[in-house]
Amino acid sequence: MRIGMPLSYSGGFKEAVAELCDYEKAGLDIVFVPEAYSFDAISQLGFIAARTERLEIASGILQIYTRTPTLTAMTAAGLDHVSDGRFTLGIGASGPQVIEGFHGQPYTAPLARTREIVEICRSVWRREKVVHEGRHYRIPLPPGEGTGLGRPLKLINRPVRERIPIVLAAIGPRNVALAAETTEGWMPMFFHPERAGDVWGPALAEGSARRDAALGTLDVVVSPPLAIGEDVDALIDLARPQLALYIGGMGARGRNFYNDLACRYGYESAAATIQELYLSGHKEEAAAAVPADLLRATSLIGPASYVAERLAAFRAAGVTTLQVRPLAPTTAQRLTDIERLKAMVS
């Protein structure tokens, strides 16, 4: 089981990266750089590659709508090159509020687009002449849709690897099946080990039945908050705002994928309450309405013996990478928690 974490740079990006070297020494295996609607992830990942030696780097995630598939492949190959083969391409559809609201692109056909993007990326990395006749992407652009001068080209440089790992962020059944079928890894949100099988088991089985054996075992990347100690119970409340944001505010009424997930976990009433409070501007009340047992189930917070029990539950549910969010108040404590967690999973 790998230990990773998302890069939190609310206190300054360069400051956060300076600390990464200490996390690398503490046993961190991989760092994920989010993009959302902040700074782009690519420039940050290149900076991290230059400042670290062993640490794997990953986009967590690049949304699929604003870069061409070929540019996504070129970018991934470039990051894999400057990091000496340490890059993982994390991709996902994001949501209509970000794609249409921030980027001004229509949020259409996320599954079909994702499948085509994966195919095109791998063709680019194999240095094939890129020819793709898909429903959403046509390369070269066919006559009548441009000058007619386009011709098949292949990547000039030779990539470090012709198969860069791809991790797909997905929580809907069809998208999860797509991840299990076509990508090296799957990244769900708010992973509940005891209920994951009921929610995603059929989709994972469906996709796995079509999976190419060359892809290897599916890497399951989950994101629990982390705090280890006898006096850390109060830190569980620090996980409330994020759950409230996603369940309540990351989407509109009737179209919020994370609210749907909470309902599929069995929290229909709480999900409705959280959304109503959040969208009405009562964010603190929405956070308070997040069920305590959902917080506990999706976290690694408590005494070492309890965290070890939860680790066993995550492992039994198929988790292979823990992208933890250390919650301790000081850097020294957060580093200690990573060291202790690394020892537990080794």
Side-chain angles (χ1 to χ4, degrees), residues 6-316:
L7 187 71
S8 175
Y9 48 87
S10 57
F13 178 78
K14 291 183 179 179
E15 292 80 1
V17 174
E19 291 182 356
L20 269 183
C21 295
D22 292 329
Y23 282 103
E24 186 175 30
K25 292 174 184 175
L28 192 73
D29 297 303
I30 184 168
V31 63
F32 295 80
V33 178
E35 192 165 67
Y37 41 98
S38 181
F39 292 144
D40 77 289
I42 304 308
S43 57
Q44 323 301 321
L45 285 159
F47 186 82
I48 293 170
R51 292 293 189 273
T52 56
E53 297 177 359
R54 177 191 58 82
L55 192 67
E56 296 179 53
I57 59 175
S59 53
I61 59 170
L62 302 185
Q63 44 77 18
I64 63 173
Y65 288 93
T66 57
R67 296 175 177 91
T68 67
T70 315
L71 178 58
T72 298
M74 293 165 62
T75 300
L79 285 169
D80 207 44
H81 173 72
V82 298
S83 65
D84 295 321
R86 290 185 282 144
F87 179 65
T88 291
L89 175 62
I91 59 173
S94 186
Q97 286 191 322
V98 172
I99 301 306
E100 297 182 357
F102 191 67
H103 295 288
Q105 298 295 313
Y107 189 85
T108 58
L111 274 75
R113 289 180 184 276
T114 300
R115 183 181 290 276
E116 291 188 41
I117 288 167
V118 170
E119 292 174 359
I120 294 166
C121 281
R122 290 181 176 148
S123 177
V124 171
W125 299 333
R126 291 191 296 265
R127 297 189 72 238
E128 299 169 348
K129 288 187 176 181
V130 182
V131 177
H132 182 84
E133 290 293 332
R135 180 177 178 183
H136 301 284
Y137 303 103
R138 291 169 300 283
I139 307 171
L141 201 62
E145 294 189 26
T147 65
L149 299 176
R151 58 174 182 160
L153 299 171
K154 67 179 181 179
L155 191 69
I156 294 173
N157 309 84
R158 187 170 298 280
V160 175
R161 294 179 288 177
E162 71 170 27
R163 172 160 276 170
I164 296 168
I166 300 174
V167 173
L168 178 60
I171 55 176
R174 292 171 62 202
N175 214 13
V176 171
L178 181 67
E181 176 190 353
T182 65
T183 63
E184 282 82 2
W186 166 50
M187 186 187 299
M189 287 289 286
F190 310 133
F191 189 86
H192 190 311
E194 286 77 12
R195 300 187 186 182
D198 292 335
V199 171
W200 289 308
L204 289 169
E206 176 189 337
S208 296
R210 299 190 294 267
R211 185 176 181 82
D212 184 345
L215 289 171
T217 303
L218 184 69
D219 182 20
V220 180
V221 183
V222 305
S223 308
L226 170 70
I228 305 173
E230 299 297 326
D231 56 352
V232 298
D233 281 351
L235 294 180
I236 195 76
D237 287 331
L238 296 179
R240 287 184 178 277
Q242 187 189 44
L243 276 169
L245 167 63
Y246 278 81
I247 296 172
M250 198 65 76
R253 288 183 179 87
R255 193 159 189 190
N256 180 323
F257 308 130
Y258 309 102
N259 191 282
D260 293 343
L261 175 58
C263 292
R264 290 161 66 200
Y265 277 156
Y267 297 96
E268 294 91 343
S269 177
T273 299
I274 294 165
Q275 186 176 65
E276 181 60 36
L277 287 168
Y278 203 98
L279 295 181
S280 299
H282 303 293
K283 296 180 180 180
E284 292 184 5
E285 292 87 344
V290 175
D293 60 329
L294 177 59
L295 284 165
R296 288 287 179 192
T298 55
S299 301
L300 292 171
I301 298 176
S305 59
Y306 175 77
V307 171
E309 291 176 7
R310 296 308 299 154
L311 275 176
F314 278 102
R315 193 188 298 274

